[in-house]
Amino acid sequence: MSCPAWLLKEIQYVQDPEWASYTLGVFVCQSCSGFHRNISQISKVKSVLLDPWSDAEVEFMASNGNDAAKAKYEQKVPVFYYRPTHTDCQLLREQWIRARYERKEFVCVERQEPYSAGYREGFLWKRGRDNGQFLSRKCILSERDGALKYFNKHDAREPKALMKIHTLNASFQPGKIGQPHGLQVTYLKNNSTRNIFVYHKDGKEMVDWFNAIRAARFHYLQVAFPGAHDADLVPKLTRNYIKEGYMEKTGPKHTEGFKKRWFTLDDRRLMYFKDPLDAYALGEMFIGSKEKGYIVLPGLPPSTQGYHWQFGITIVTPDRKFLFTCKTEGEQQDWMAAFQGLVNRPMLPQEYAGNHSHGSTQDLSKENIYIFYI
């Protein structure tokens, strides 16, 4: 027999729940069904619509379900632990499934020690700034020291870089880095954003590092904002970029030729790089709200010359106009939507000093102190 349609109607939060684990009693999407197959000793899956179902299997699904599994396997998920969505990379989604069902990390708290202890030490493969090669580097994350450090030599006493926890961000970038477990870590160095790119061959190891950074950030923010609710702090632990990709740009006089650059939109900060894996941005601009005089327009001023790509974007700020071009109309529309979303969003008081994305805790009240040098 087929699995009854009424069972599917019980699942409101699974996207396209056309697969099911008939040993765990949960419905899953097609993508996650592949991850469940990787733990076949625990989870056995079949198609809801195409595979035959026995009466016993249907009864098991009916008596269990996703809510029951959530109550059983997610009893003690740390508030800082990243819960991936269907848009996240494969590594995060697979390790979330393994953490729940295979390792039972959220039932046995002692299994959370690798990312909850406040201290983590190990070796990660780090991309060299100049030669682009990945080399093994000793890394230490210490809440007590308030920093993530890495060392160029295994026996070095002084770190090559000290990244303060309050400026840290981490996001998985497997396609950009070229490694399935690739993580981009950013921090402030001399008031400029610095990128480092790391990975580990063990997927669990890499996700543990990611959640350890989130834990350290969470505990830091709890101290910095003692009256804040957890729900207000969690979105600030790490963030994915709104959009990344290539565009062409010209200089402030609009007479220079357009150059192809890699752009990263990190909340209200638009940074550009010569190469996606550059350590430092060549420049950045702030994108404020329409109440502050920011406007996003399709196309370029009629007199503009020197561009190669035909789909232009003009961002008007209180100080000047910024001109960009995109290779395709689809890319233009995507960038326009991202910029317009920021322009339509009222600015928060702490955004006025341009330090919002760095997690600054100072009193931020001044306006128009941003540096525009794109």
Side-chain angles (χ1 to χ4, degrees):
M1 65 177 293
S2 298
C3 189
W6 63 265
L7 275 180
L8 282 177
K9 294 180 180 178
E10 298 295 319
I11 309 302
Q12 302 294 326
Y13 48 85
V14 177
Q15 187 177 30
D16 300 324
E18 296 181 357
W19 293 81
S21 168
Y22 60 92
T23 52
L24 294 174
V26 296
F27 289 92
V28 298
C29 66
Q30 181 175 355
S31 177
C32 288
S33 70
F35 303 140
H36 279 262
R37 288 191 184 92
N38 292 337
I39 52 172
S40 58
Q41 71 279 14
I42 297 169
S43 181
K44 298 186 183 299
V45 298
K46 61 170 58 180
S47 169
V48 170
L49 303 176
L50 302 178
D51 290 328
W53 285 75
S54 68
D55 290 340
E57 290 168 345
V58 172
E59 290 175 6
F60 181 76
M61 295 298 300
S63 61
N64 288 275
N66 291 52
D67 287 336
K70 184 179 179 71
K72 178 180 179 180
Y73 293 103
E74 299 181 32
Q75 298 176 32
K76 300 176 182 179
V77 182
V79 66
F80 60 79
Y81 196 98
Y82 187 79
R83 295 171 178 259
T85 69
H86 70 279
T87 62
D88 281 301
C89 67
Q90 177 174 318
L91 174 65
L92 279 171
R93 289 181 287 132
E94 179 171 13
Q95 288 302 317
W96 168 247
I97 289 172
R98 288 184 179 274
R100 279 189 296 178
Y101 302 123
E102 183 180 48
R103 299 191 293 267
K104 296 183 174 62
E105 291 179 14
F106 311 127
V107 177
C108 304
V109 176
E110 60 270 18
R111 297 180 183 178
Q112 301 172 11
E113 191 273 340
Y115 44 81
S116 300
Y119 181 89
R120 185 170 181 82
E121 180 176 333
F123 291 89
L124 298 176
W125 292 90
K126 176 190 171 292
R127 186 179 188 273
R129 177 181 171 185
D130 298 321
N131 57 22
Q133 294 181 336
F134 282 89
L135 300 172
S136 178
R137 294 290 182 251
K138 180 181 178 180
C139 299
I140 296 177
L141 174 67
S142 171
E143 284 189 16
R144 181 177 179 179
D145 296 339
L148 170 65
K149 312 169 190 176
Y150 80 83
F151 300 79
N152 264 2
K153 296 183 179 180
H154 294 179
D155 57 351
R157 293 187 177 183
E158 295 298 323
K160 176 65 176 179
L162 188 149
M163 300 162 264
K164 292 293 186 181
I165 285 174
H166 73 277
T167 74
L168 272 183
N169 184 46
S171 63
F172 279 98
Q173 300 275 4
K176 180 177 175 180
I177 297 174
Q179 297 288 342
H181 306 160
L183 186 74
Q184 179 175 347
V185 179
T186 64
Y187 65 101
L188 277 186
K189 182 177 180 180
N190 300 325
N191 293 321
S192 296
T193 299
R194 169 75 196 274
N195 300 316
I196 67 169
F197 304 94
V198 296
Y199 78 94
H200 195 281
K201 295 178 181 178
D202 185 326
K204 178 185 183 300
E205 180 80 6
M206 201 68 258
V207 173
D208 284 348
W209 272 101
F210 176 65
N211 281 301
I213 290 172
R214 288 177 59 86
R217 291 268 303 156
F218 179 68
H219 297 146
Y220 163 78
L221 291 173
Q222 281 184 311
V223 175
F225 302 98
H229 296 291
D230 289 352
D232 297 322
L233 300 181
V234 169
K236 302 179 185 296
L237 302 184
T238 56
R239 62 194 180 277
N240 293 323
Y241 300 129
I242 295 176
K243 182 167 173 57
E244 287 192 291
Y246 283 108
M247 290 192 293
E248 288 186 331
K249 60 164 288 293
T250 186
K253 297 181 180 179
H254 302 169
T255 56
E256 304 90 338
F258 281 68
K259 295 181 180 179
K260 179 182 175 182
R261 294 291 183 254
W262 177 266
F263 285 84
T264 296
L265 184 57
D266 185 5
D267 198 56
R268 291 191 180 274
R269 296 170 59 246
L270 179 65
M271 298 172 284
Y272 78 89
F273 306 81
K274 188 174 182 180
D275 184 272
L277 298 180
D278 283 347
Y280 291 98
L282 297 174
E284 65 180 70
M285 68 173 287
F286 177 85
I287 300 177
S289 65
K290 57 186 177 183
E291 291 84 3
K292 300 300 177 181
Y294 290 81
I295 304 172
V296 182
L297 301 172
L300 303 174
S303 60
T304 307
Q305 297 181 355
Y307 57 90
H308 308 92
W309 293 346
Q310 302 303 309
F311 302 96
I313 299 174
T314 299
I315 299 181
V316 181
T317 76
D319 298 280
R320 53 168 279 207
K321 294 180 179 179
F322 293 87
L323 308 184
F324 310 99
T325 60
C326 302
K327 189 173 185 179
T328 67
E329 185 177 8
E331 276 293 294
Q332 178 201 38
Q333 292 175 349
D334 290 345
W335 278 108
M336 287 277 296
F339 294 144
Q340 196 64 56
L342 293 172
V343 168
N344 290 340
R345 191 182 81 195
M347 287 173 58
L348 300 172
Q350 61 265 36
E351 291 177 318
Y352 290 148
N355 292 318
H356 170 64
S357 60
H358 304 314
S360 175
T361 62
Q362 59 183 309
D363 179 24
L364 306 177
S365 58
K366 294 185 179 180
E367 187 176 348
N368 295 329
I369 64 170
Y370 309 102
I371 298 175
F372 295 88
Y373 50 95
I374 270 186

